Amino acid sequence: MAGVQTAVALREQGFTGAVTLIGAEPHQPYDRPPLSKAVLLGKAEGSAFDIDFEALGIELVLGREVTGVRPADHELDTAEAPLPYDVLVLATGAEPIRLPGTEGVPGVHLLRTLDDAERLRPVLAAQRDIVVVGAGWIGAEFATAAREAGCSVTVVEAASRPLAGALPEEVAAPMAGWYADSGAVLRTHARVERVEPGEVVLSDGTRLPAGAVVVGIGARPATAWLAGSGIELGGHREVVADAGLRTSAPDVYAVGDCSSFPSGRYGERLLVHHWDNALQGPRTVAANIIGETPAAYDPVPYFWSEQFGRFVQYAGHHASADELVWRGDPTGVAWSVCWLRDGALVAILAVGRPRDLAQGRRLIESATRLAPAQVADPSVPLKKAAL
């Protein structure tokens, strides 16, 4: 998404020079969200972008892995030959974290690429017993698809609750019940000791039957190939970009899951692993490459997840010290949670309440202060809580 949208944005903003899009995968550039839904369930063969690259004058170089970059020489290293560049945009995304000890073990899957989804599709069609490792966003989405396909699903999570790394305990706790409602088994405080053929062995000795194991324990920026380049990386091995999404190397930009950027809105550096960031950031990159009106990137982060029959949306960025305000009953089908900082809305999680999300996103953008008592009343539109 980030690479494709940067190339398209350059053309939309009037760039007339050569644009080359390089990717290690042999497939036409494709969108990732359908991989855990329509493609996985066999409802779609693929998710290629509906873009006429030839008409836009964008050259696609597919199936070519870039192994390094030499900023001083303005050259990329590939297995075939070096490639020169005038301006380089890093949009390598993130790669899933592998479960230690499972390299090469048959029946262990990740879900990040089109090839991953195509390997998993017959597994779901065969209605195997499936163990999902990790109760984060991707684990929940895959479990949802597997249950829809009629598979027996057990999700094991080392933490005490789903989404432990993303949401506070009181917010994530109600979501644990969603698994049982769908017929999936959620086992928390469960660590995988090892994976054997047909079984997952937990640290307490429990053996879970597993016709397939799907690992969803997080992702990290795909930046190992930048070793020795001199391009600055951050604490999560992400490319450190400035407010214009420029890296520490001249004529090199970074956008999407592989990079972090400083947020003036939140007063900290953000590393956002979500689709909307890969859609929005390229417009800033293109504007700064063309250079007519320099642009800063400071979005309200946004993402959504479809899981267990619920549409979950989140906008903004919250910290543990922010005031948490409930809107509605979390045991019901529709509710929201708002986070306030000095009276202003900084983040919102909406479950089945898209209007809350839409209004909340605008209130976050405008840094509007709200009346907490009205925020807490789900019958009052969020915009009406503005002071």
Side-chain angles (χ1 to χ4, degrees), residues 55-228:
L56 289 172
I58 297 169
E59 181 187 1
L60 297 182
V61 179
L62 304 176
R64 183 179 297 190
E65 184 174 2
V66 177
T67 57
V69 56
R70 288 171 283 112
D73 300 327
H74 279 60
E75 278 191 336
L76 291 171
D77 291 320
T78 75
E80 287 83 354
L83 292 175
Y85 66 84
D86 295 314
V87 176
L88 174 65
V89 180
L90 309 177
T92 47
E95 56 194 5
I97 297 172
R98 298 179 181 273
L99 188 65
T102 61
E103 288 281 352
V105 176
V108 178
H109 299 262
L110 300 168
L111 181 53
R112 180 72 180 181
T113 68
L114 180 59
D115 289 340
D116 292 337
E118 290 182 342
R119 280 189 288 265
L120 276 164
R121 190 154 58 180
V123 173
L124 267 60
Q127 298 186 333
R128 305 263 184 89
D129 291 338
I130 294 177
V131 173
V132 181
V133 184
W137 301 112
I138 191 66
E141 290 186 3
F142 179 81
T144 299
R147 286 299 299 141
E148 186 176 333
C151 299
S152 173
V153 178
T154 300
V155 181
V156 296
E157 169 58 53
S160 62
R161 62 189 187 276
L163 296 166
L167 298 172
E169 184 170 6
E170 61 189 300
V171 177
M175 298 177 173
W178 298 357
Y179 289 79
D181 291 346
S182 76
V185 175
L186 173 64
R187 298 181 66 115
T188 56
H189 300 287
R191 293 188 176 276
V192 176
E193 181 71 27
R194 63 186 181 278
V195 177
E196 297 179 352
E199 283 189 323
V200 171
V201 183
L202 303 182
S203 57
D204 65 1
T206 301
R207 290 178 174 268
L208 303 174
V213 179
V214 177
V215 179
I217 56 175
R220 59 168 63 97
T223 58
W225 68 283
L226 293 173

Side-chain angles (χ1 to χ4, degrees), residues 215-242:
V215 179
I217 56 175
R220 59 168 63 97
T223 58
W225 68 283
L226 293 173
S229 68
I231 293 173
E232 182 185 356
L233 301 182
H236 299 280
R237 307 304 293 166
E238 86 282 8
V239 179
V240 174
D242 67 10

Side-chain angles (χ1 to χ4, degrees), residues 243-337:
L245 300 182
R246 301 173 187 84
T247 74
S248 62
D251 303 318
V252 180
Y253 295 77
V255 65
D257 290 8
C258 71
S259 64
S260 64
F261 57 90
S263 170
R265 187 188 312 277
Y266 291 104
E268 60 181 288
R269 179 167 286 276
L270 299 183
L271 174 60
V272 180
H273 279 185
H274 294 297
W275 183 92
D276 192 66
N277 180 47
L279 175 68
Q280 305 292 346
R283 298 167 190 163
T284 297
V285 171
N288 288 326
I289 288 173
I290 295 168
E292 293 175 3
T293 52
Y297 188 57
D298 195 8
V300 174
Y302 166 76
F303 73 90
W304 80 96
S305 177
E306 296 176 67
Q307 50 185 270
F308 308 119
R310 293 165 173 85
F311 187 45
V312 184
Q313 295 173 283
Y314 178 95
H317 175 70
H318 71 270
S320 58
D322 295 328
E323 179 186 0
L324 190 153
V325 182
W326 287 92
R327 280 173 64 79
D329 180 0
T331 63
V333 296
W335 48 275
S336 298
V337 176

